[in-house]
Amino acid sequence: MACFSNFLPRLFKPETLSFWLAVFLFSACESVVDIPPLPELPPKLVVVSFISPEVEEVQVSVSRTISLNSPENNGKPLYVPNAQVTFSDGNDTVLLAYDTAKQLYTTKALPVQPGKTYWLQVQDPDGLKAEARCTVPQKINTSLTARLDSSERNLEQGGRNYKFELRWQDLPGLGDNYAINGNLYFLA
């Protein structure tokens, strides 16, 4: 008993008080939680496209949603290469061809013009459908400027900071229709 009585004063010294306080405050109980199975939802089409008079080719990505628990789910999009994709300006309608290399439906047959309205219709072989309508703004914003800066940090580890800055003047009264997409690649 004498041995244990000498141990307690050393264990609960004022220097170790914060440690013991943290142990008691941040300790937790563990229990198993039953998670109910996810509901099976029917697949839906995922259609992505950006049209602009500055881009000569209309490109449309068509994929399907996939259940989280599905064996087909590998974390990558499930592209639909055999859909019927049409693009129209109200007068002319074109059927887009599937480009296997890009995994996109494409056409250059119907150039996009400012001020016109375009319709996109997609149907896959299983009967899933999606439709969209877009009016291209009459004025094109040409005030865009871009700047990329880099600075050294942690030179021992070879680190760099990168800052990419985009600036433009918003066109009054036309709404805010901007799409920004970027990638940064390091070539060794």
Side-chain angles (χ1 to χ4, degrees):
M1 190 69 148
C3 202
F4 186 69
S5 62
N6 290 338
F7 179 70
L8 283 177
R10 286 187 297 174
L11 187 63
F12 293 107
K13 295 192 306 188
E15 297 87 29
T16 62
L17 183 61
S18 60
F19 169 75
W20 289 112
L21 188 61
V23 166
F24 291 118
L25 288 177
F26 297 115
S27 62
C29 298
E30 291 185 23
S31 60
V32 176
V33 176
D34 290 327
I35 300 174
L38 295 173
E40 286 295 324
L41 299 174
K44 296 184 182 197
L45 287 178
V46 179
V47 180
V48 179
S49 182
F50 177 77
I51 61 173
S52 172
E54 287 90 18
V55 180
E56 66 179 41
E57 183 177 64
V58 173
Q59 297 181 341
V60 179
S61 169
V62 180
S63 58
R64 293 176 68 150
T65 59
I66 189 167
S67 172
L68 189 61
N69 297 331
S70 171
E72 295 179 288
N73 189 348
N74 61 3
K76 296 179 181 176
L78 184 62
Y79 292 106
V80 181
N82 51 356
Q84 180 174 338
V85 180
T86 58
F87 185 67
S88 174
D89 66 359
N91 295 320
D92 297 318
T93 301
V94 294
L95 184 64
L96 280 70
Y98 188 72
D99 183 331
T100 308
K102 296 179 182 175
Q103 295 183 314
L104 297 170
Y105 291 87
T106 63
T107 186
K108 292 182 182 179
L110 190 57
V112 175
Q113 299 173 6
K116 290 185 89 172
T117 300
Y118 295 89
W119 289 265
L120 180 66
Q121 294 182 327
V122 179
Q123 182 172 350
D124 81 346
D126 295 333
L128 294 176
K129 295 180 182 180
E131 296 180 355
R133 179 180 58 86
C134 176
T135 301
V136 178
Q138 184 68 35
K139 295 180 182 178
I140 304 300
N141 194 339
T142 58
S143 68
L144 178 68
T145 60
R147 191 173 93 190
L148 178 64
D149 288 331
S150 66
S151 62
E152 301 285 338
R153 74 172 170 86
N154 286 343
L155 295 177
E156 299 85 27
Q157 298 174 3
R160 280 179 142 338
N161 285 332
Y162 292 94
K163 177 182 174 186
F164 186 67
E165 183 177 279
L166 290 174
R167 291 180 182 246
W168 64 87
Q169 185 68 40
D170 192 26
L171 297 175
L174 296 177
D176 298 319
N177 301 299
Y178 300 100
I180 298 172
N181 186 10
N183 294 307
L184 182 61
Y185 297 100
F186 293 99
L187 303 174

